[in-house]
Amino acid sequence: MRITMIGTGYVGLTTGVCFAELGHSVMCLDTNKEKIDLLKNGVCPIFEEGLESLIEKNSATGRLSFVTSYAEAIPCADVVFFCVDTPPGEYGKANLTNLLAAASECAHHLDGYTVLVNKSTAPVGTAKKIQNAVRNINPTASFDIASNPEFLAEGSAIRNFLEPDRIIVGTENEKTATMLKLVYAPLIEQGRNFLSVTIPSAELIKYASNSFLAMKVSFINEIADFCELVGADVSDIAHGMGLDTRIGSKFLQASIGFGGSCFGKDVHALVMRGQEEGYEFRMIKALIAVNELRYLTVIKKLKKHLGPLQGKTVAVLGLAYKAGTDDVRDAQTLRIILDLLDHAVIVRAYDPQAMENFKKIFRRSDEVTFAQSAQSASDGADALLILTEWNEFKSIDLADIKTNMSGTLIVDGRNIFERKTAEVAGFTYEGIGT
Ligand code: UDX
């Protein structure tokens, strides 16, 4: 099949490369020439395990190419996927400007029957808007519209694509569903779940899934805070709960709260979409409220041991919103470091992948000292503050790191250390819910 991906952001690029890996002929289109030039030279503009080698492999076979022109990428395609960013707009409502602009541009170049698929996460009703945008520009175009939400998590995106729990497609007719079945045929043949539903259902499955996962995180974080009051251990609670197959063990890791480009944006967008229908999502509002105050947990723990924070030095280990990515969008680390700076704390930060991205988006990054290792970040520090669960941090020699520090406090926002190990190394240990 000839597939065109519009947008080479995180989702568009990973999905396009994986479609080529499945054997399709894929063109990735982006109007950002700089990015396309990098990709043409085999350089992956994002950090995602295994992606660069798949780009190289599939470009070499001729199945994968990168272009900047709609005129080149659209007429030849059997299926076009929209993977354009839908950033939060006013009051958290998804902003569809880029997506609908891409649809209009695409409309000019349609030639022969084409299936247009929205993969960008966008509220219920968006596929219809794309359909209307295309019809307005090109009333005689022969096309069908579909929705095919993505469920890729950063750091494991390739595995998530090639070994999906489910493939969801929303279509208006059997013909479109059959086309999309052909696109995913190699995965369906492996026995992967393929669920064909209506377009509004497909659109809502994505929001409902992300909201549910975000709710699990906020839920366990509330339980974690209560554990500290009653002497329980949240890891035991999560383990005990997770053994019930109705609950499941995933997404019950107590933490500094969820971040990243999806959860926060999607839960807000769903609440806003609800409001448009006169519907109030009370549970989703509650999970948002829990997460919004989550950054205070580690600040309180620092204060408990260090007293007033002014002038104290804190070594922040981890800036990415989770391990395995260089992404800091909507990361709790941004809120936490901002609050530390507001308290006049001297912040020394280190992250194995995300420091450049952090510097780009954190408006007070000139007030942060960036170190080249966990060891050098902790030089002279009163406390270690762990914010991302990188494996590199799990293997830190605590006794060794302590020798260069002024203080002996670890606030472990990801529970990567055992209390006992930290205490044996001479630290005072504060985890989450332990
Ligand atoms: C998420 C969805 O998982 C994915 O299906 C969707 O396509 C995009 O959004 P992603 O944002 O990459 O993926 O990260 P995810 O692994 O879901 O984690 C989101 C946030 O929740 C991170 O900040 C993570 O640290 C936090 N989290 C996750 C926890 O705090 N505890 C957990 O148990 C799980």
Side-chain angles (χ1 to χ4, degrees), residues 150-154 206 210 213 217 251-253 255 257-259 262-263 321-322 414:
E150 55 85 17
F151 301 101
L152 309 178
E154 296 189 21
K206 166 72 189 204
N210 269 3
L213 292 172
V217 175
F251 278 74
L252 289 178
Q253 181 71 48
S255 68
F258 61 78
C262 294
F263 278 8
Y321 76 94
K322 66 173 189 177
R414 298 290 187 164

Side-chain angles (χ1 to χ4, degrees), residues 192-254:
R192 300 289 165 188
N193 294 313
F194 180 87
L195 184 61
S196 176
V197 294
T198 64
I199 290 179
S201 295
E203 292 174 323
L204 191 51
I205 285 170
K206 166 72 189 204
Y207 279 96
S209 300
N210 269 3
S211 301
F212 190 81
L213 292 172
M215 184 184 67
K216 278 186 105 173
V217 175
S218 275
F219 181 88
I220 201 68
N221 282 338
E222 273 213 318
I223 296 289
D225 287 352
F226 190 63
C227 281
E228 292 180 14
L229 298 177
V230 296
D233 186 329
V234 75
S235 335
D236 291 338
I237 310 298
H239 188 199
M241 286 172 65
L243 290 173
D244 183 331
T245 51
R246 293 171 303 173
I247 297 173
S249 59
K250 292 180 182 160
F251 278 74
L252 289 178
Q253 181 71 48

Side-chain angles (χ1 to χ4, degrees), residues 7-71:
T8 58
Y10 192 82
V11 170
L13 181 60
T14 312
T15 309
V17 172
C18 287
F19 278 148
E21 181 69 10
L22 293 187
H24 298 299
S25 173
V26 181
M27 266 196 199
C28 291
L29 164 70
D30 202 298
T31 47
N32 182 336
K33 188 176 174 309
E34 233 171 81
K35 211 191 230 184
I36 291 298
D37 285 344
L38 280 179
L39 288 161
K40 277 182 174 168
N41 288 319
V43 180
C44 182
I46 52 169
F47 172 74
E48 179 65 36
E49 194 74 51
L51 189 55
E52 198 162 79
S53 59
L54 280 189
I55 292 174
E56 200 177 67
K57 177 181 161 198
N58 286 286
S59 300
T61 62
R63 282 199 303 266
L64 179 66
S65 57
F66 300 97
V67 297
T68 52
S69 146
Y70 279 77

